[in-house]
């Protein structure tokens, strides 16, 4: 059950998203809700979730979810400006993020098996910070492998290594 404040924020975010979609010429419906924080620390606000449903929503997801990520960022900025505080908002399109999360977990598992057998590191394709985090968290407690992020900016990648190896880090840039 949402508090009055959470409900107000959810409605504000939903309204901002609906306005953006209308201006983009996208016909879709938006539903809102909240997801409780993982830890019940004082001051941690529940995450506002917005789900977009409609026909041919691939245009809102974009390549590797980049358009969706940008849309989420814009809505967060609008709400933060209106509330004068940052509010955690997650936007999904037709369950894309959940499917991507599961696909990344599966990828981590398959690559881990290869790394265990070959005893050689494996470097994944460049990923967003959110996707790299999924890989790191999925393998955080794995007994045989470890993970590291390498590279900078949009070229940042995850390397999955056998537990006793470490990836050579380049010297810090000046």
């Amino acid at each position: 059950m949402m508090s009055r404040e959470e409900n107000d924020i959810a409605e504000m975010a939903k309204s901002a998203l609906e306005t953006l979609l209308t201006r983009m010429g996208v016909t879709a419906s938006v539903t809102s809700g909240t997801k409780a924080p993982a830890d019940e620390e004082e001051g941690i606000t529940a995450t506002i979730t917005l789900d977009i449903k409609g026909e041919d929503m691939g245009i809102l997801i974009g390549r590797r979810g980049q358009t969706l990520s940008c849309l989420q960022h814009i809505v967060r900025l609008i709400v933060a400006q209106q509330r004068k505080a940052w509010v955690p908002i997650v936007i999904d399109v037709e369950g894309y993020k959940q499917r991507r999360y599961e696909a990344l977990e599966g990828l981590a598992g398959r690559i881990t098996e290869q790394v265990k057998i070959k005893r050689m590191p494996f470097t994944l394709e460049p990923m967003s910070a959110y996707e790299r985090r999924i890989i790191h968290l999925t393998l955080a407690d794995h007994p045989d492998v470890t993970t590291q992020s390498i590279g900078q900016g949009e070229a940042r990648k995850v390397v999955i290594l056998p537990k006793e190896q470490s990836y050579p880090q380049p010297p810090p840039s000046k």
Side-chain angles (χ1 to χ4, degrees):
M1 184 88 186
M2 281 197 271
S3 71
R4 175 107 171 106
E5 182 182 10
E6 288 170 345
N7 193 42
D8 290 348
I9 295 169
E11 283 305 311
M12 184 183 301
K14 182 179 175 186
S15 175
L17 179 56
E18 288 171 339
T19 300
L20 286 171
L21 293 174
T22 299
R23 294 207 174 154
M24 292 170 66
V26 174
T27 304
S29 65
V30 178
T31 56
S32 63
T34 59
K35 187 167 69 173
D39 49 355
E40 294 298 323
E41 288 183 39
E42 189 132 345
I44 302 288
T45 315
T47 301
I48 305 298
T49 60
L50 301 171
D51 192 30
I52 306 170
K53 294 194 184 307
E55 296 294 316
D56 196 25
M57 293 284 102
I59 192 161
L60 291 180
I61 297 170
R63 185 168 183 261
R64 289 198 195 134
Q66 286 181 319
T67 305
L68 180 57
S69 179
C70 291
L71 189 60
Q72 178 175 283
H73 183 70
I74 291 168
V75 171
R76 282 178 176 171
L77 288 174
I78 291 168
V79 172
Q81 176 65 31
Q82 292 175 350
R83 300 289 302 180
K84 305 294 184 222
W86 185 86
V87 178
I89 297 170
V90 174
I91 298 176
D92 200 0
V93 175
E94 300 278 351
Y96 166 79
K97 283 190 176 178
Q98 183 62 37
R99 290 190 308 275
R100 182 70 177 146
Y101 184 92
E102 291 166 2
L104 288 169
E105 282 184 322
L107 174 67
R110 289 189 305 278
I111 300 303
T112 294
E113 289 307 310
Q114 288 181 21
V115 169
K116 281 171 42 180
I117 291 167
K118 296 178 180 176
R119 309 293 309 149
M120 297 279 294
F122 188 97
T123 304
L124 298 170
E125 65 187 29
M127 295 179 181
S128 68
Y130 170 76
E131 291 182 339
R132 289 193 312 274
R133 181 172 162 77
I134 292 169
I135 300 291
H136 289 305
L137 290 174
T138 299
L139 299 176
D141 296 326
H142 197 284
D144 302 318
V145 299
T146 187
T147 61
Q148 293 179 349
S149 286
I150 61 167
Q152 294 181 332
E154 291 186 21
R156 204 146 163 82
K157 307 171 185 179
V158 174
V159 179
I160 301 174
L161 315 101
K163 203 70 162 210
E164 68 278 355
Q165 292 185 13
S166 69
Y167 200 83
Q169 294 293 317
S173 58
K174 296 179 180 178

